[in-house]
């Protein structure tokens, strides 16, 4: 006797909801994902979320003594911890914003999110910023005690390379 063919239900989500704890750029944020499936999941089933943004990649550490064109450069990212260093290891990495953290007495006091209209590499961003007109940027200043937005502004970001020359001369 022939048995009935196996019935396979299509995989589907009945509900999918993502919420965040803060809408402030640069604030600590918790994502809460709620889903329900059309069919029961087997014990031991795992669900993965992919294509989340890469974690931040530090490229510079500045101090009151070493900033801008006076920063030593190289590809040793471990030197970023000590302060006063520009890493050239990620010049080709795409980004659309910078996160600047301001510390005093060992405590994070404030963040500034520098947002750019288009994704670019650090190398091309520095080259564009070295032009007289600079590159358009919007920045948001955030109080890290309560994630409050202290200011939002827009303007142009400008940078100079070694000896005041083209920023493409870094390194």
């Amino acid at each position: 006797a022939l048995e009935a063919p196996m019935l396979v239900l299509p995989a589907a989500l009945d509900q999918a909801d993502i919420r965040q704890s803060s809408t402030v750029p640069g604030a600590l944020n918790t994502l809460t994902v709620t889903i329900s499936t059309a069919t029961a999941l087997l014990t031991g089933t795992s669900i993965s979320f992919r294509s989340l943004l890469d974690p931040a990649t530090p490229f510079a550490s500045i101090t009151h003594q070493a900033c801008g064109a006076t920063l030593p450069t190289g590809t040793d990212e471990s030197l970023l911890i000590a302060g006063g260093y520009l890493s050239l290891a990620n010049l080709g990495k795409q980004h659309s914003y910078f996160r600047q953290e301001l510390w005093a007495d060992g405590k994070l006091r404030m963040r500034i999110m520098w947002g750019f209209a288009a994704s670019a590499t650090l190398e091309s961003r520095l080259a564009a910023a070295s032009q007289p007109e600079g590159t358009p940027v919007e920045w948001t200043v955030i109080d890290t005690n309560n994630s409050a937005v202290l200011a939002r502004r827009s303007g142009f970001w400008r940078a100079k390379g070694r000896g005041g020359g083209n920023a493409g001369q870094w390194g």
Side-chain angles (χ1 to χ4, degrees):
L2 292 174
E3 294 184 24
M6 182 171 58
L7 176 63
V8 177
L9 297 174
L13 293 178
D14 286 339
Q15 175 191 3
D17 185 48
I18 301 175
R19 296 181 188 265
Q20 60 185 2
S21 61
S22 175
T23 59
V24 177
L28 293 178
N29 205 352
T30 300
L31 297 179
T32 303
V33 178
T34 305
I35 62 170
S36 67
T37 60
T39 59
L41 298 175
L42 297 174
T43 301
T45 299
S46 73
I47 297 174
S48 299
F49 297 94
R50 300 188 192 284
S51 299
L52 297 176
L53 296 174
D54 288 337
T57 303
F59 69 88
S61 178
I62 59 175
T63 68
H64 66 285
Q65 297 168 328
C67 181
T70 65
L71 286 175
T73 62
T75 57
D76 184 354
E77 292 188 21
S78 68
L79 295 176
L80 289 168
I81 296 167
Y85 186 72
L86 173 67
S87 173
L88 304 176
N90 292 300
L91 280 178
K93 184 174 181 174
Q94 294 278 329
H95 65 277
S96 58
Y97 70 92
F98 294 157
R99 182 182 72 215
Q100 182 178 8
E101 296 182 344
L102 304 172
W103 293 74
D105 301 322
K107 184 177 178 189
L108 179 61
R109 304 293 179 162
M110 185 180 315
R111 275 194 186 98
I112 304 174
M113 299 300 295
W114 300 84
F116 301 96
S119 184
T121 64
L122 179 58
E123 185 173 31
S124 63
R125 183 84 63 213
L126 288 169
S130 73
Q131 301 303 310
E133 64 277 8
T135 188
V137 66
E138 292 184 6
W139 63 96
T140 304
V141 181
I142 302 155
D143 182 335
T144 56
N145 290 321
N146 57 17
S147 297
V149 173
L150 300 175
R152 276 199 172 108
R153 301 285 186 271
S154 61
F156 296 87
W157 183 63
R158 295 178 179 91
K160 292 188 178 183
R162 302 282 182 225
N166 184 302
Q169 296 173 351
W170 290 101

